[in-house]
Amino acid sequence: MATTLATEKGGAFATTNANPHSPGDHVHDAGEAGHPLAKRAWMYRPHRIGPIKIPAYASPPFQLGLVAFVCFLCPGMFNAVNGLGGGGQFSATTSNNSNVALYSTFSVVGFFAGTFANRMGIKLTLSLGGIGYFVYIASYLSYNHNQNAGFPIFAGALLGVCAGLLWCAQGAIMMSYPPEASKGRYISWFWMIFNLGAVLGSLIPLGQNINSSSGTVNDGTYIGFMVLTFLGAAVAWCLVDARHVQRADGSHVVLMKHPTWQSEFIGLYETLKMDTWVIFLFPMFLASNWFYTYQFNDVNLAKFNVRTRALNGVLYWSSQILGAYCFGYALDSRVRRSIRAKGAWAALFVITMAIWGGGYAWQKQYTRPEVSAKGYVKMDWTTSGYVGPMFLYMFYGFFDAAWQTCVYWFMGALTNNGRKLANFAGFYKGIQSAGAAIMFRIDALEAPYMNEFASCWGLLAGSLLIALPVILMKVRDTVPLEEDIKFSDETIEEVMPTLSHEADGEKAH
Protein backbone atom coordinates (compact mmCIF):
# COMPACT_ATOMS: atom_id res chain seq x y z
CA MET A 1 0.00 0.00 0.00
CA ALA A 2 1.46 3.35 -0.98
CA THR A 3 1.58 6.28 1.38
CA THR A 4 2.90 9.80 1.04
CA LEU A 5 5.81 10.93 3.18
CA ALA A 6 7.44 14.32 3.62
CA THR A 7 11.12 14.48 2.68
CA GLU A 8 13.86 16.99 2.03
CA LYS A 9 14.93 17.32 -1.60
CA GLY A 10 17.36 19.91 -2.77
CA GLY A 11 16.68 22.10 0.23
CA ALA A 12 12.93 22.27 -0.45
CA PHE A 13 10.36 20.03 1.11
CA ALA A 14 8.83 17.35 -1.07
CA THR A 15 6.85 14.16 -0.69
CA THR A 16 7.59 10.81 -2.17
CA ASN A 17 5.68 7.55 -2.43
CA ALA A 18 6.68 5.30 0.43
CA ASN A 19 6.75 2.26 -1.85
CA PRO A 20 9.50 2.80 -4.41
CA HIS A 21 8.22 -0.12 -6.47
CA SER A 22 4.57 0.90 -6.74
CA PRO A 23 3.15 2.23 -10.03
CA GLY A 24 3.13 5.93 -10.70
CA ASP A 25 6.10 6.84 -8.49
CA HIS A 26 6.71 10.54 -8.64
CA VAL A 27 7.71 13.45 -6.45
CA HIS A 28 5.34 16.24 -5.50
CA ASP A 29 6.28 19.65 -4.22
CA ALA A 30 4.78 19.83 -0.73
CA GLY A 31 4.46 23.56 -1.05
CA GLU A 32 2.33 23.19 -4.17
CA ALA A 33 -1.11 24.74 -3.72
CA GLY A 34 -3.75 22.24 -2.80
CA HIS A 35 -1.28 19.45 -2.00
CA PRO A 36 -2.49 17.45 1.07
CA LEU A 37 0.84 17.81 2.89
CA ALA A 38 1.29 21.51 2.16
CA LYS A 39 -0.27 22.45 5.50
CA ARG A 40 2.06 20.08 7.38
CA ALA A 41 5.32 20.63 5.46
CA TRP A 42 6.65 22.93 8.20
CA MET A 43 6.72 19.98 10.61
CA TYR A 44 9.42 18.24 8.58
CA ARG A 45 11.72 21.22 8.00
CA PRO A 46 14.73 21.63 10.33
CA HIS A 47 15.86 25.12 11.30
CA ARG A 48 19.11 26.75 12.24
CA ILE A 49 19.79 29.51 14.74
CA GLY A 50 23.39 30.55 14.17
CA PRO A 51 25.55 27.45 14.67
CA ILE A 52 22.70 25.57 16.39
CA LYS A 53 20.65 23.18 14.25
CA ILE A 54 17.11 22.58 15.52
CA PRO A 55 15.59 19.25 14.41
CA ALA A 56 12.34 19.24 12.46
CA TYR A 57 9.26 19.61 14.66
CA ALA A 58 7.92 16.15 13.74
CA SER A 59 11.31 14.44 14.14
CA PRO A 60 11.97 12.02 17.00
CA PRO A 61 14.57 14.26 18.72
CA PHE A 62 12.23 17.27 18.87
CA GLN A 63 9.23 15.24 19.97
CA LEU A 64 11.23 13.47 22.66
CA GLY A 65 12.44 16.86 23.85
CA LEU A 66 8.83 18.02 24.28
CA VAL A 67 7.93 14.85 26.19
CA ALA A 68 10.99 15.32 28.38
CA PHE A 69 9.90 18.92 29.08
CA VAL A 70 6.43 17.72 30.13
CA CYS A 71 8.07 15.26 32.53
CA PHE A 72 10.51 17.98 33.61
CA LEU A 73 7.54 20.06 34.75
CA CYS A 74 5.24 17.33 36.13
CA PRO A 75 7.00 14.20 37.50
CA GLY A 76 10.15 16.31 37.95
CA MET A 77 8.38 18.60 40.42
CA PHE A 78 6.73 15.59 42.07
CA ASN A 79 10.16 14.05 42.60
CA ALA A 80 11.43 17.29 44.09
CA VAL A 81 8.55 17.33 46.61
CA ASN A 82 8.83 13.65 47.52
CA GLY A 83 12.61 13.89 47.67
CA LEU A 84 12.23 16.20 50.66
CA GLY A 85 10.85 13.21 52.58
CA GLY A 86 7.25 13.17 53.72
CA GLY A 87 6.28 15.49 50.85
CA GLY A 88 7.94 18.32 52.76
CA GLN A 89 5.85 17.71 55.91
CA PHE A 90 7.36 17.03 59.31
CA SER A 91 5.78 13.58 59.57
CA ALA A 92 5.97 11.02 56.78
CA THR A 93 2.67 9.38 57.78
CA THR A 94 0.36 11.50 55.60
CA SER A 95 2.78 11.35 52.69
CA ASN A 96 3.11 7.57 53.05
CA ASN A 97 -0.65 7.05 53.06
CA SER A 98 -1.04 9.34 50.05
CA ASN A 99 1.67 7.46 48.19
CA VAL A 100 0.12 4.09 49.05
CA ALA A 101 -3.09 5.32 47.38
CA LEU A 102 -1.10 6.76 44.48
CA TYR A 103 0.91 3.66 43.69
CA SER A 104 -2.02 1.31 44.29
CA THR A 105 -4.09 2.97 41.55
CA PHE A 106 -0.96 3.51 39.46
CA SER A 107 -0.18 -0.21 39.54
CA VAL A 108 -3.63 -1.14 38.22
CA VAL A 109 -4.04 1.63 35.65
CA GLY A 110 -0.39 1.47 34.62
CA PHE A 111 -0.56 -2.21 33.73
CA PHE A 112 -3.40 -1.53 31.28
CA ALA A 113 -2.26 1.97 30.26
CA GLY A 114 -0.82 0.78 26.97
CA THR A 115 -4.34 0.08 25.81
CA PHE A 116 -5.49 3.60 26.71
CA ALA A 117 -2.44 5.29 25.17
CA ASN A 118 -2.82 3.35 21.92
CA ARG A 119 -6.51 4.21 21.70
CA MET A 120 -6.59 7.84 22.95
CA GLY A 121 -3.34 9.06 21.42
CA ILE A 122 -0.22 10.61 22.91
CA LYS A 123 -1.34 14.22 23.45
CA LEU A 124 -4.50 13.52 25.43
CA THR A 125 -2.83 10.76 27.43
CA LEU A 126 0.09 12.98 28.48
CA SER A 127 -2.06 16.03 29.26
CA LEU A 128 -4.47 14.09 31.46
CA GLY A 129 -1.45 12.69 33.24
CA GLY A 130 -0.05 16.15 33.91
CA ILE A 131 -3.24 17.41 35.60
CA GLY A 132 -2.89 14.78 38.32
CA TYR A 133 0.46 16.21 39.43
CA PHE A 134 -1.07 19.68 39.84
CA VAL A 135 -3.85 18.35 42.09
CA TYR A 136 -1.40 16.25 44.11
CA ILE A 137 0.82 19.20 45.01
CA ALA A 138 -2.22 21.37 45.72
CA SER A 139 -3.26 18.83 48.35
CA TYR A 140 -0.04 19.45 50.30
CA LEU A 141 -0.63 23.20 50.20
CA SER A 142 -4.06 22.52 51.67
CA TYR A 143 -2.60 20.20 54.30
CA ASN A 144 -0.20 22.92 55.40
CA HIS A 145 -3.24 24.90 56.62
CA ASN A 146 -5.90 22.41 57.73
CA GLN A 147 -4.08 19.09 58.33
CA ASN A 148 -6.89 17.32 56.46
CA ALA A 149 -5.24 14.04 55.48
CA GLY A 150 -8.17 13.03 53.25
CA PHE A 151 -7.26 15.45 50.45
CA PRO A 152 -3.67 14.22 49.98
CA ILE A 153 -4.89 10.61 49.99
CA PHE A 154 -7.56 11.37 47.36
CA ALA A 155 -5.04 13.35 45.32
CA GLY A 156 -2.63 10.45 45.53
CA ALA A 157 -5.24 8.02 44.20
CA LEU A 158 -6.10 10.44 41.36
CA LEU A 159 -2.45 10.94 40.51
CA GLY A 160 -2.02 7.18 40.30
CA VAL A 161 -4.55 7.08 37.48
CA CYS A 162 -3.04 10.10 35.73
CA ALA A 163 0.59 9.07 36.16
CA GLY A 164 -0.15 5.62 34.78
CA LEU A 165 -1.31 7.26 31.56
CA LEU A 166 1.53 9.79 31.38
CA TRP A 167 4.36 7.34 31.96
CA CYS A 168 2.99 4.78 29.55
CA ALA A 169 2.83 7.36 26.76
CA GLN A 170 6.29 8.61 27.65
CA GLY A 171 7.79 5.13 27.62
CA ALA A 172 6.25 4.26 24.28
CA ILE A 173 7.64 7.44 22.69
CA MET A 174 11.10 7.05 24.20
CA MET A 175 11.48 3.43 23.08
CA SER A 176 9.70 3.43 19.70
CA TYR A 177 10.53 6.79 18.10
CA PRO A 178 14.36 6.49 17.86
CA PRO A 179 16.20 4.24 15.42
CA GLU A 180 17.76 1.11 16.94
CA ALA A 181 21.29 2.53 17.03
CA SER A 182 20.23 5.60 19.05
CA LYS A 183 17.90 4.23 21.73
CA GLY A 184 20.43 4.50 24.55
CA ARG A 185 21.11 8.16 23.81
CA TYR A 186 17.42 8.99 23.47
CA ILE A 187 16.74 7.40 26.86
CA SER A 188 19.64 9.30 28.40
CA TRP A 189 18.49 12.61 26.86
CA PHE A 190 15.04 12.13 28.27
CA TRP A 191 16.32 11.08 31.69
CA MET A 192 18.71 14.03 31.91
CA ILE A 193 16.07 16.63 30.97
CA PHE A 194 13.47 15.00 33.21
CA ASN A 195 15.80 14.93 36.21
CA LEU A 196 16.91 18.49 35.55
CA GLY A 197 13.33 19.33 36.52
CA ALA A 198 13.83 17.62 39.85
CA VAL A 199 17.17 19.42 40.30
CA LEU A 200 15.62 22.83 39.68
CA GLY A 201 12.57 21.83 41.71
CA SER A 202 14.83 20.96 44.64
CA LEU A 203 16.50 24.36 44.36
CA ILE A 204 13.15 26.04 45.11
CA PRO A 205 12.81 24.67 48.66
CA LEU A 206 16.56 24.99 49.14
CA GLY A 207 16.43 28.70 48.35
CA GLN A 208 13.29 29.32 50.39
CA ASN A 209 14.40 27.31 53.42
CA ILE A 210 18.16 27.88 53.33
CA ASN A 211 18.07 29.79 56.61
CA SER A 212 15.45 27.53 58.20
CA SER A 213 16.02 24.50 60.37
CA SER A 214 12.31 23.71 60.71
CA GLY A 215 10.71 20.47 59.59
CA THR A 216 8.23 21.70 56.96
CA VAL A 217 8.42 23.81 53.81
CA ASN A 218 6.42 27.01 53.29
CA ASP A 219 3.43 27.80 51.05
CA GLY A 220 5.51 29.44 48.35
CA THR A 221 7.27 26.16 47.65
CA TYR A 222 4.01 24.36 46.88
CA ILE A 223 2.55 27.28 44.87
CA GLY A 224 5.66 27.37 42.69
CA PHE A 225 5.36 23.64 42.03
CA MET A 226 1.65 23.99 41.19
CA VAL A 227 2.32 26.63 38.52
CA LEU A 228 5.00 24.48 36.90
CA THR A 229 2.94 21.26 36.86
CA PHE A 230 -0.04 23.02 35.26
CA LEU A 231 2.27 24.38 32.57
CA GLY A 232 3.53 20.85 31.95
CA ALA A 233 0.00 19.56 31.32
CA ALA A 234 -0.49 22.35 28.76
CA VAL A 235 2.80 21.68 26.94
CA ALA A 236 1.63 18.13 26.14
CA TRP A 237 -0.76 19.57 23.55
CA CYS A 238 2.22 20.81 21.52
CA LEU A 239 3.09 17.24 20.48
CA VAL A 240 2.23 15.91 17.03
CA ASP A 241 0.33 12.66 16.59
CA ALA A 242 2.60 9.62 16.42
CA ARG A 243 1.52 8.86 12.86
CA HIS A 244 3.10 12.15 11.70
CA VAL A 245 6.52 11.46 13.24
CA GLN A 246 9.22 10.77 10.66
CA ARG A 247 12.78 9.64 11.30
CA ALA A 248 15.81 10.97 9.41
CA ASP A 249 15.75 8.04 6.99
CA GLY A 250 12.07 8.62 6.15
CA SER A 251 10.77 5.68 8.18
CA HIS A 252 7.73 5.96 10.42
CA VAL A 253 6.77 4.51 13.80
CA VAL A 254 5.03 1.12 13.61
CA LEU A 255 1.51 1.69 14.99
CA MET A 256 -2.09 0.61 14.61
CA LYS A 257 -3.70 2.86 11.98
CA HIS A 258 -7.23 2.18 13.22
CA PRO A 259 -7.08 1.22 16.91
CA THR A 260 -10.27 0.39 18.76
CA TRP A 261 -10.84 -0.41 22.41
CA GLN A 262 -11.39 -4.03 21.46
CA SER A 263 -8.23 -4.28 19.34
CA GLU A 264 -6.09 -2.74 22.07
CA PHE A 265 -7.39 -4.92 24.91
CA ILE A 266 -6.83 -7.93 22.68
CA GLY A 267 -3.37 -6.54 21.87
CA LEU A 268 -2.54 -6.41 25.57
CA TYR A 269 -3.40 -10.10 25.88
CA GLU A 270 -1.47 -10.94 22.69
CA THR A 271 1.62 -9.14 23.99
CA LEU A 272 1.73 -11.41 27.05
CA LYS A 273 0.91 -14.47 24.95
CA MET A 274 3.50 -13.82 22.22
CA ASP A 275 6.24 -12.46 24.50
CA THR A 276 5.74 -14.49 27.67
CA TRP A 277 9.44 -14.24 28.42
CA VAL A 278 8.94 -10.56 29.38
CA ILE A 279 7.74 -11.94 32.73
CA PHE A 280 11.40 -12.58 33.60
CA LEU A 281 11.89 -8.80 33.59
CA PHE A 282 9.00 -8.20 36.00
CA PRO A 283 11.19 -8.47 39.15
CA MET A 284 13.44 -5.72 37.73
CA PHE A 285 10.30 -3.65 37.14
CA LEU A 286 9.22 -4.27 40.75
CA ALA A 287 12.63 -3.26 42.12
CA SER A 288 12.92 -0.03 40.11
CA ASN A 289 10.88 2.14 42.54
CA TRP A 290 11.01 -0.10 45.59
CA PHE A 291 14.02 1.71 47.05
CA TYR A 292 12.61 5.26 46.78
CA THR A 293 10.72 5.02 50.06
CA TYR A 294 13.82 3.88 51.90
CA GLN A 295 16.04 6.56 50.37
CA PHE A 296 13.62 9.49 50.75
CA ASN A 297 12.01 8.67 54.11
CA ASP A 298 14.46 6.42 55.93
CA VAL A 299 17.66 8.19 54.91
CA ASN A 300 16.90 11.77 53.86
CA LEU A 301 13.91 12.52 56.11
CA ALA A 302 15.15 10.45 59.02
CA LYS A 303 18.61 11.94 59.34
CA PHE A 304 18.60 15.49 57.92
CA ASN A 305 16.86 18.81 58.56
CA VAL A 306 14.81 20.53 55.85
CA ARG A 307 17.51 22.62 54.21
CA THR A 308 19.94 19.71 54.12
CA ARG A 309 17.23 17.46 52.67
CA ALA A 310 16.73 20.04 49.92
CA LEU A 311 20.48 20.09 49.23
CA ASN A 312 20.56 16.30 49.20
CA GLY A 313 17.70 16.38 46.69
CA VAL A 314 19.68 18.66 44.37
CA LEU A 315 22.67 16.34 44.58
CA TYR A 316 20.57 13.17 44.18
CA TRP A 317 18.84 14.32 41.00
CA SER A 318 22.04 15.86 39.61
CA SER A 319 23.71 12.48 40.02
CA GLN A 320 20.83 10.95 38.07
CA ILE A 321 21.76 13.17 35.12
CA LEU A 322 25.32 11.86 35.27
CA GLY A 323 24.18 8.26 35.57
CA ALA A 324 21.81 8.56 32.59
CA TYR A 325 24.54 10.13 30.47
CA CYS A 326 27.15 7.49 31.28
CA PHE A 327 24.91 4.47 30.78
CA GLY A 328 22.85 5.87 27.88
CA TYR A 329 25.86 6.65 25.72
CA ALA A 330 27.65 3.44 26.67
CA LEU A 331 24.58 1.47 25.55
CA ASP A 332 24.90 3.02 22.07
CA SER A 333 28.57 2.15 21.62
CA ARG A 334 29.80 0.51 18.42
CA VAL A 335 29.93 -2.95 19.98
CA ARG A 336 27.26 -5.44 18.86
CA ARG A 337 23.98 -4.90 20.72
CA SER A 338 23.87 -8.43 22.16
CA ILE A 339 27.31 -7.84 23.69
CA ARG A 340 26.28 -4.42 25.03
CA ALA A 341 23.28 -6.00 26.76
CA LYS A 342 25.50 -8.47 28.60
CA GLY A 343 27.92 -5.69 29.55
CA ALA A 344 25.07 -3.54 30.89
CA TRP A 345 23.82 -6.42 33.02
CA ALA A 346 27.31 -6.98 34.45
CA ALA A 347 27.77 -3.27 35.18
CA LEU A 348 24.43 -3.14 37.01
CA PHE A 349 25.38 -6.13 39.13
CA VAL A 350 28.73 -4.58 40.09
CA ILE A 351 27.31 -1.19 41.11
CA THR A 352 24.44 -2.89 42.96
CA MET A 353 26.93 -4.70 45.15
CA ALA A 354 29.23 -1.69 45.57
CA ILE A 355 26.76 1.12 46.24
CA TRP A 356 24.33 -0.84 48.38
CA GLY A 357 27.27 -2.37 50.23
CA GLY A 358 28.19 1.18 51.24
CA GLY A 359 24.56 1.77 52.17
CA TYR A 360 24.70 -1.20 54.54
CA ALA A 361 27.66 0.35 56.38
CA TRP A 362 25.69 3.61 56.76
CA GLN A 363 22.44 1.98 57.86
CA LYS A 364 24.16 0.15 60.73
CA GLN A 365 24.72 3.55 62.37
CA TYR A 366 21.10 4.41 63.31
CA THR A 367 17.65 2.93 63.94
CA ARG A 368 14.06 4.14 63.67
CA PRO A 369 13.52 4.44 67.47
CA GLU A 370 16.70 6.49 67.75
CA VAL A 371 15.76 9.14 65.16
CA SER A 372 12.10 9.19 66.31
CA ALA A 373 12.98 10.03 69.89
CA LYS A 374 11.84 13.39 71.22
CA GLY A 375 14.61 15.95 71.09
CA TYR A 376 16.61 14.13 68.40
CA VAL A 377 18.69 16.69 66.49
CA LYS A 378 18.86 16.04 62.77
CA MET A 379 22.05 16.43 60.78
CA ASP A 380 22.81 19.70 58.99
CA TRP A 381 25.28 20.21 56.16
CA THR A 382 27.51 22.00 58.69
CA THR A 383 27.56 18.92 60.94
CA SER A 384 30.81 17.01 61.16
CA GLY A 385 30.60 13.75 59.21
CA TYR A 386 28.07 14.99 56.63
CA VAL A 387 30.32 14.41 53.60
CA GLY A 388 30.15 10.59 53.78
CA PRO A 389 26.33 10.26 53.68
CA MET A 390 26.19 13.07 51.13
CA PHE A 391 28.25 11.04 48.66
CA LEU A 392 26.26 7.89 49.45
CA TYR A 393 23.03 9.73 48.60
CA MET A 394 24.59 10.94 45.35
CA PHE A 395 25.55 7.37 44.46
CA TYR A 396 21.98 6.28 45.18
CA GLY A 397 20.82 8.82 42.57
CA PHE A 398 23.42 7.64 40.05
CA PHE A 399 22.31 4.04 40.60
CA ASP A 400 18.63 4.84 40.04
CA ALA A 401 19.33 6.45 36.66
CA ALA A 402 21.60 3.57 35.62
CA TRP A 403 18.94 0.99 36.54
CA GLN A 404 16.06 2.74 34.81
CA THR A 405 18.09 3.56 31.70
CA CYS A 406 19.12 -0.07 31.33
CA VAL A 407 15.59 -1.43 31.89
CA TYR A 408 14.14 0.88 29.25
CA TRP A 409 16.96 -0.01 26.86
CA PHE A 410 16.43 -3.75 27.43
CA MET A 411 12.75 -3.37 26.54
CA GLY A 412 13.54 -1.20 23.51
CA ALA A 413 16.05 -3.78 22.29
CA LEU A 414 13.36 -6.46 22.17
CA THR A 415 11.08 -4.75 19.61
CA ASN A 416 10.60 -1.53 17.64
CA ASN A 417 6.82 -1.83 17.46
CA GLY A 418 5.23 1.24 19.07
CA ARG A 419 2.05 -0.61 19.97
CA LYS A 420 3.90 -3.43 21.73
CA LEU A 421 6.29 -1.02 23.47
CA ALA A 422 3.32 0.92 24.87
CA ASN A 423 2.19 -2.33 26.49
CA PHE A 424 5.72 -3.04 27.74
CA ALA A 425 5.84 0.47 29.23
CA GLY A 426 2.48 -0.17 30.89
CA PHE A 427 3.71 -3.43 32.38
CA TYR A 428 6.82 -1.65 33.61
CA LYS A 429 5.06 1.27 35.27
CA GLY A 430 2.25 -0.87 36.67
CA ILE A 431 4.54 -3.39 38.35
CA GLN A 432 6.98 -0.68 39.37
CA SER A 433 4.16 1.18 41.10
CA ALA A 434 2.90 -1.95 42.84
CA GLY A 435 6.35 -2.27 44.39
CA ALA A 436 6.33 1.36 45.48
CA ALA A 437 2.85 0.96 47.05
CA ILE A 438 3.98 -2.09 49.01
CA MET A 439 7.12 -0.34 50.24
CA PHE A 440 5.32 2.85 51.24
CA ARG A 441 2.89 0.73 53.25
CA ILE A 442 5.73 -1.15 54.93
CA ASP A 443 7.29 2.17 55.90
CA ALA A 444 3.95 3.50 57.16
CA LEU A 445 3.82 0.47 59.48
CA GLU A 446 7.23 1.60 60.81
CA ALA A 447 9.25 -1.47 59.91
CA PRO A 448 12.88 -1.35 61.10
CA TYR A 449 15.11 0.62 58.76
CA MET A 450 17.52 -2.28 58.36
CA ASN A 451 14.70 -4.57 57.24
CA GLU A 452 13.64 -2.10 54.59
CA PHE A 453 17.22 -1.68 53.44
CA ALA A 454 17.68 -5.44 53.16
CA SER A 455 14.52 -5.78 51.09
CA CYS A 456 15.86 -3.18 48.64
CA TRP A 457 19.29 -4.75 48.22
CA GLY A 458 17.99 -8.30 48.06
CA LEU A 459 15.30 -7.49 45.47
CA LEU A 460 17.73 -5.61 43.24
CA ALA A 461 20.31 -8.39 43.22
CA GLY A 462 17.74 -11.18 42.88
CA SER A 463 15.90 -9.47 40.01
CA LEU A 464 19.12 -9.19 38.02
CA LEU A 465 19.65 -12.93 38.26
CA ILE A 466 16.07 -13.67 37.18
CA ALA A 467 16.37 -11.32 34.18
CA LEU A 468 19.65 -12.85 32.96
CA PRO A 469 18.05 -15.45 30.61
CA VAL A 470 16.25 -12.68 28.70
CA ILE A 471 19.48 -10.71 28.34
CA LEU A 472 21.40 -13.76 27.13
CA MET A 473 18.83 -15.23 24.75
CA LYS A 474 16.36 -12.56 23.63
CA VAL A 475 18.39 -9.41 22.94
CA ARG A 476 19.52 -9.57 19.32
CA ASP A 477 21.73 -7.26 17.29
CA THR A 478 18.69 -6.05 15.34
CA VAL A 479 14.97 -6.79 15.06
CA PRO A 480 13.75 -7.34 11.46
CA LEU A 481 11.06 -4.95 10.23
CA GLU A 482 9.03 -7.97 9.10
CA GLU A 483 8.80 -9.08 12.72
CA ASP A 484 7.86 -5.64 14.07
CA ILE A 485 5.09 -5.23 11.53
CA LYS A 486 3.30 -8.42 12.63
CA PHE A 487 1.79 -6.67 15.67
CA SER A 488 0.07 -3.88 13.70
CA ASP A 489 -2.25 -3.28 10.76
CA GLU A 490 0.38 -1.39 8.77
CA THR A 491 2.45 -2.67 5.86
CA ILE A 492 6.21 -2.62 5.40
CA GLU A 493 5.86 -0.07 2.62
CA GLU A 494 4.12 2.37 4.96
CA VAL A 495 6.86 2.45 7.58
CA MET A 496 10.06 1.51 5.73
CA PRO A 497 12.94 3.98 5.26
CA THR A 498 12.62 6.15 2.15
CA LEU A 499 15.57 8.53 2.44
CA SER A 500 19.31 7.97 2.23
CA HIS A 501 20.46 10.98 4.22
CA GLU A 502 20.68 11.18 8.00
CA ALA A 503 19.86 14.09 10.23
CA ASP A 504 21.87 15.28 13.17
CA GLY A 505 20.99 13.42 16.34
CA GLU A 506 19.83 10.30 14.50
CA LYS A 507 22.98 9.09 12.83
CA ALA A 508 23.42 5.36 12.92
CA HIS A 509 26.59 3.88 14.30
Side-chain angles (χ1 to χ4, degrees):
M1 179 177 177
T3 187
T4 307
L5 302 176
T7 74
E8 282 183 85
K9 189 177 179 68
F13 247 76
T15 61
T16 182
N17 196 292
N19 184 355
H21 305 295
S22 63
D25 284 359
H26 55 284
V27 175
H28 301 276
D29 184 352
E32 194 176 307
H35 189 274
L37 284 187
K39 294 181 179 179
R40 291 205 303 267
W42 64 271
M43 289 198 287
Y44 305 101
R45 185 182 298 117
H47 299 277
R48 187 177 292 277
I49 301 177
I52 302 173
K53 184 175 181 180
I54 302 175
Y57 192 79
S59 68
F62 198 97
Q63 290 298 298
L64 183 75
L66 282 177
V67 173
F69 191 55
V70 171
C71 292
F72 170 101
L73 293 169
C74 294
M77 299 304 109
F78 169 84
N79 282 344
V81 171
N82 265 11
L84 291 171
Q89 302 298 323
F90 186 78
S91 168
T93 301
T94 300
S95 177
N96 277 340
N97 290 333
S98 176
N99 280 299
V100 169
L102 189 166
Y103 288 108
S104 296
T105 55
F106 195 163
S107 65
V108 176
V109 174
F111 195 85
F112 298 98
T115 298
F116 294 95
N118 286 333
R119 180 63 183 86
M120 295 191 304
I122 296 300
K123 289 190 286 190
L124 178 59
T125 304
L126 277 170
S127 185
L128 287 176
I131 291 297
Y133 290 91
F134 171 83
V135 176
Y136 178 86
I137 294 175
S139 72
Y140 280 101
L141 175 62
S142 171
Y143 186 85
N144 248 8
H145 292 274
N146 56 33
Q147 284 72 53
N148 176 16
F151 189 12
I153 293 172
F154 164 79
L158 175 65
L159 178 56
V161 174
C162 296
L165 298 174
L166 180 144
W167 280 105
C168 177
Q170 172 274 331
I173 290 172
M174 189 173 66
M175 294 186 287
S176 67
Y177 281 18
E180 283 189 331
S182 304
K183 290 193 177 186
R185 283 176 292 158
Y186 274 63
I187 294 169
S188 71
W189 295 342
F190 167 82
W191 213 253
M192 287 188 287
I193 297 171
F194 158 55
N195 281 300
L196 182 61
V199 171
L200 297 179
S202 296
L203 288 172
I204 295 174
L206 177 61
Q208 292 186 334
N209 299 282
I210 195 166
N211 295 315
S212 171
S213 60
S214 67
T216 63
V217 299
N218 58 38
D219 287 355
T221 301
Y222 293 121
I223 293 172
F225 285 148
M226 287 169 62
V227 172
L228 294 173
T229 51
F230 186 82
L231 178 61
V235 169
W237 288 99
C238 297
L239 291 164
V240 301
D241 292 334
R243 68 180 182 273
H244 297 317
V245 174
Q246 181 175 287
R247 302 188 184 98
D249 62 1
S251 62
H252 283 220
V253 182
V254 180
L255 300 164
M256 284 288 284
K257 288 183 296 184
H258 306 293
T260 65
W261 290 112
Q262 181 181 6
S263 72
E264 296 316 302
F265 275 110
I266 292 174
L268 182 71
Y269 165 75
E270 289 176 342
T271 299
L272 282 173
K273 183 179 179 180
M274 294 167 57
D275 302 309
T276 308
W277 41 263
V278 76
I279 293 173
F280 286 93
L281 295 179
F282 283 6
M284 285 192 77
F285 299 174
L286 186 71
S288 60
N289 269 16
W290 186 276
F291 49 76
Y292 278 175
T293 308
Y294 169 76
Q295 291 172 353
F296 296 157
N297 287 354
D298 304 343
V299 177
N300 204 24
L301 177 62
K303 288 292 291 182
F304 304 101
N305 62 24
V306 67
R307 70 173 189 172
T308 309
R309 297 203 305 269
L311 174 62
N312 290 344
V314 172
L315 298 174
Y316 182 92
W317 302 115
S318 298
S319 299
Q320 293 237 10
I321 294 174
L322 178 62
Y325 177 83
C326 292
F327 272 76
Y329 276 76
L331 287 167
D332 277 350
S333 64
R334 296 180 183 273
V335 182
R336 289 168 47 199
R337 186 165 70 177
S338 56
I339 301 299
R340 280 177 270 149
K342 298 178 180 68
W345 183 93
L348 280 182
F349 192 84
V350 169
I351 65 173
T352 298
M353 294 298 105
I355 294 173
W356 288 86
Y360 174 69
W362 163 254
Q363 186 53 68
K364 290 192 297 183
Q365 299 177 20
Y366 67 96
T367 64
R368 188 184 291 272
E370 176 188 342
V371 301
S372 301
K374 187 176 182 180
Y376 178 78
V377 179
K378 295 192 175 186
M379 183 177 288
D380 186 72
W381 65 53
T382 61
T383 304
S384 176
Y386 168 68
V387 173
M390 178 195 75
F391 275 106
L392 173 63
Y393 208 64
M394 291 172 65
F395 281 124
Y396 278 152
F398 181 94
F399 176 85
D400 179 31
W403 186 276
Q404 306 244 22
T405 298
C406 286
V407 172
Y408 273 118
W409 186 84
F410 290 152
M411 289 189 288
L414 298 172
T415 181
N416 300 306
N417 184 291
R419 184 185 180 212
K420 184 178 290 186
L421 285 169
N423 287 327
F424 280 3
F427 297 158
Y428 178 47
K429 301 309 294 188
I431 294 169
Q432 177 188 75
S433 301
I438 294 168
M439 191 57 167
F440 272 114
R441 183 57 184 163
I442 290 172
D443 194 56
L445 295 174
E446 300 187 349
Y449 289 156
M450 184 59 79
N451 291 9
E452 294 189 27
F453 170 85
S455 72
C456 296
W457 195 7
L459 181 58
L460 289 166
S463 66
L464 280 171
L465 296 176
I466 295 170
L468 185 57
V470 175
I471 309 304
L472 296 177
M473 295 185 288
K474 291 296 181 179
V475 176
R476 294 171 287 174
D477 294 330
T478 188
V479 179
L481 182 56
E482 293 80 3
E483 183 175 321
D484 283 326
I485 214 74
K486 290 178 182 178
F487 199 65
S488 75
D489 58 358
E490 293 186 304
T491 65
I492 291 178
E493 289 78 12
E494 289 176 304
V495 298
M496 67 185 294
T498 60
L499 308 178
S500 59
H501 75 280
E502 291 173 334
D504 290 349
E506 291 187 79
K507 293 179 180 178
H509 289 265

